[in-house]
Amino acid sequence: MGIFDLQHNRKNTRSVKWDMLKPMFQTEDVLPMWVADMDFKAPEQVNQALIERAQHGIYGYTVIDDEVKNSILKWLSQRHQWNIKQQWLSFSPGVVTSLHMAVQAFTEPGDKIIIQTPVYTPFYKVIESHQREIVKNPLIYKNNYYQIDFADFEEKLKQGVKAFILCSPHNPVGRVWKKDELTELARLCMKHNVLIISDEIHGDLTFPGEVHIPIASLSEEVAEQTITCMSPSKTFNLAGLQASYVVTSNKEKRELLDAQFAKQGVNMLNTMGNTALEAAYTHGESWLEELRHLLKNHQTYVKEMFEEHTPELKVIDSEGTYLLWIDCSALKLDHKELKSFMIKKARVGLNTGVDYGQEGDTFMRINIACPRATLEEGVQRIISAVKNR
């Protein structure tokens, strides 16, 4: 039995995923396969680093030193062929925090910000809570796959858009954008002087054979136009430790962003997040490689099981992340009925597709980062419910 086959009891650990079932689904009788964290322990080297730090017993103000920063530089160079400099780094508790800071630093109330829907739900709040205007560039859904509508993208940019929040790889549809797609997005943004704010938190979680390309790595010119938000939190299941960073090569933009972080008082990492980040990037590569193969196998399992037993459910062809986007339109249920069906009939806790935009009205999002036994139980529950509806 491998490390990813072990089942861990996460109840009563203040886990959002496992201990918030009642407020989220109005029942505790569901198998949680929703919020984006994994039911796997972090790499053992990370856990040991945290234990050793805790044994010291003093948790004073903590510096983000050269060792921590260099672990990031080495990781980005080796994993993504992106060579950055230490001084390009800013730090924050999380990628969503960084998105909020970037929106406030580089746009004004009333400005238009473009997103590619359906998309990660906080993107909407990041824009609207600061009185900016959402502009949608819906992805094209065709032949069980999503692509970018570049003609629509440019038309929207012409309307005075100030910034573009890119989700790369894309949550929830699982696209790992190809170099030509990223190049065209960058070209259009530079042509219309639109800032790129790139959320690349899932960048390490590509399936074997797929390559994540940081959009800022395309060229120096693109980098000057880009704010890149990254973190080891999704990669190594460290979300609760709140450690992320932003890469900004443009000095003027970086100073504006850092000033916004300082203004809000969120420009530090906590002691444990600092420790975990360095340990994960220094020692976590073999753990990640095993995880990537497991996630691809899990995706294949879900896809094949639904194709064989419930062809009404289609798993969208994805290339990365541990989140699968399921087309449930053949069930002929609206989003409220679909949510109720999955909770009451299938007894699984999934994310409702409409939360990612109206384009997700007949979709559900399922988290496959769990032991195989848990995955099989969830899939069988769904299959049984569909067959007996």
Side-chain angles (χ1 to χ4, degrees):
M1 179 178 288
I3 58 173
F4 296 113
D5 296 314
L6 298 175
Q7 292 186 288
H8 307 284
N9 183 2
R10 298 186 62 192
K11 291 183 178 179
N12 301 315
T13 62
R14 300 188 177 122
S15 162
V16 169
K17 187 176 186 178
W18 287 84
D19 291 328
M20 293 292 288
L21 296 180
K22 188 76 172 183
M24 182 66 186
F25 301 105
Q26 291 73 58
T27 178
E28 293 187 357
D29 186 27
V30 292
L31 186 65
M33 305 180 78
W34 60 299
V35 68
D37 72 14
M38 299 189 277
D39 291 327
F40 305 134
K41 283 189 175 182
E44 189 57 28
Q45 296 93 331
V46 173
N47 294 328
Q48 285 303 312
L50 291 170
I51 289 169
E52 290 175 13
R53 184 63 187 82
Q55 286 175 337
H56 184 265
I58 300 174
Y59 311 106
Y61 294 113
T62 301
V63 64
I64 306 171
D65 59 15
D66 286 346
E67 284 76 10
V68 175
K69 294 175 182 177
N70 286 336
S71 72
I72 296 171
L73 268 60
K74 185 177 180 181
W75 184 264
L76 295 181
S77 177
Q78 292 184 345
R79 297 294 304 186
H80 304 298
Q81 292 70 58
W82 187 23
N83 296 311
I84 71 166
K85 299 178 180 179
Q86 272 197 24
Q87 58 264 36
W88 297 357
L89 292 170
S90 306
F91 292 86
S92 85
V95 164
V96 173
T97 300
S98 299
L99 296 177
H100 277 285
M101 296 301 106
V103 165
Q104 293 177 84
F106 301 111
T107 66
E108 299 293 336
D111 281 353
K112 296 178 178 180
I113 300 177
I114 192 166
I115 56 177
Q116 296 177 311
T117 55
V119 74
Y120 182 47
T121 53
F123 281 19
Y124 297 91
K125 188 173 183 179
V126 160
I127 297 170
E128 292 179 323
S129 64
H130 302 295
Q131 294 78 52
R132 277 61 166 174
E133 179 183 341
I134 292 174
V135 176
K136 293 185 177 183
N137 168 229
L139 298 173
I140 299 171
Y141 175 44
K142 185 177 181 181
N143 297 326
N144 212 48
Y145 193 66
Y146 280 87
Q147 295 179 302
I148 297 169
D149 187 338
F150 288 105
D152 178 75
F153 186 73
E154 182 164 27
E155 283 302 310
K156 299 291 175 59
L157 295 188
K158 292 177 181 177
Q159 298 174 11
V161 166
K162 293 296 179 66
F164 164 43
I165 304 181
L166 170 65
C167 196
S168 178
H170 193 282
N171 173 13
V173 309
R175 277 300 318 277
V176 176
W177 304 117
K178 305 297 188 264
K179 185 174 182 178
D180 62 329
E181 293 171 310
L182 294 170
T183 299
E184 181 63 4
L185 286 173
R187 184 188 71 83
L188 292 172
C189 286
M190 290 190 292
K191 176 182 177 181
H192 296 280
N193 193 29
V194 172
L195 176 71
I196 302 169
I197 305 170
S198 188
D199 174 354
E200 303 192 12
I201 197 169
H202 293 277
D204 297 318
L205 295 170
T206 57
F207 296 151
E210 300 293 341
V211 177
H212 170 67
I213 302 171
I215 192 168
S217 71
L218 293 175
S219 70
E220 290 185 11
E221 292 76 18
V222 176
E224 289 287 298
Q225 194 77 1
T226 303
I227 310 296
T228 305
C229 304
M230 308 182 95
S231 172
S233 62
K234 287 290 183 284
T235 308
F236 298 105
N237 209 26
L238 308 176
L241 293 177
Q242 298 185 316
S244 80
Y245 55 93
V246 185
V247 183
T248 315
S249 63
N250 182 286
K251 185 175 184 291
E252 181 181 351
K253 289 184 174 68
R254 186 171 63 253
E255 288 177 349
L256 284 171
L257 182 62
D258 287 343
Q260 188 65 42
F261 276 123
K263 181 179 179 181
Q264 302 294 338
V266 290
N267 54 347
M268 294 168 51
L269 296 185
N270 72 69
T271 301
M272 292 308 196
N274 202 32
T275 299
L277 186 155
E278 181 188 10
Y281 279 165
T282 303
H283 304 292
E285 189 161 28
S286 61
W287 184 95
L288 174 59
E289 285 307 302
E290 186 176 346
L291 174 68
R292 292 174 66 222
H293 283 85
L294 175 102
L295 294 178
K296 177 56 181 176
N297 289 338
H298 279 194
Q299 181 222 33
T300 300
Y301 168 78
V302 178
K303 189 175 179 67
E304 290 180 349
M305 289 297 290
F306 284 170
E307 287 175 349
E308 180 179 355
H309 300 287
T310 50
E312 301 96 323
L313 304 179
K314 295 181 179 179
V315 177
I316 301 308
D317 292 328
S318 57
E319 297 147 339
T321 84
Y322 53 75
L323 307 163
L324 299 186
W325 192 232
I326 312 295
D327 184 348
C328 307
S329 58
L331 297 180
K332 306 297 183 183
L333 302 173
D334 65 29
H335 68 269
K336 291 182 180 179
E337 294 169 332
L338 183 57
K339 179 180 180 179
S340 178
F341 174 79
M342 290 297 177
I343 295 171
K344 296 179 180 179
K345 300 295 185 181
R347 294 184 300 114
V348 291
L350 309 182
N351 287 103
T352 307
V354 74
D355 291 343
Y356 303 86
Q358 194 58 42
E359 299 83 359
D361 186 59
T362 58
F363 290 76
M364 298 294 286
R365 192 190 77 168
I366 183 171
N367 181 342
I368 61 171
C370 55
R372 183 59 172 252
T374 303
L375 182 69
E376 291 178 358
E377 172 66 21
V379 168
Q380 291 299 330
R381 289 187 185 193
I382 294 170
I383 289 173
S384 178
V386 172
K387 284 185 172 182
N388 295 292
R389 63 189 291 258

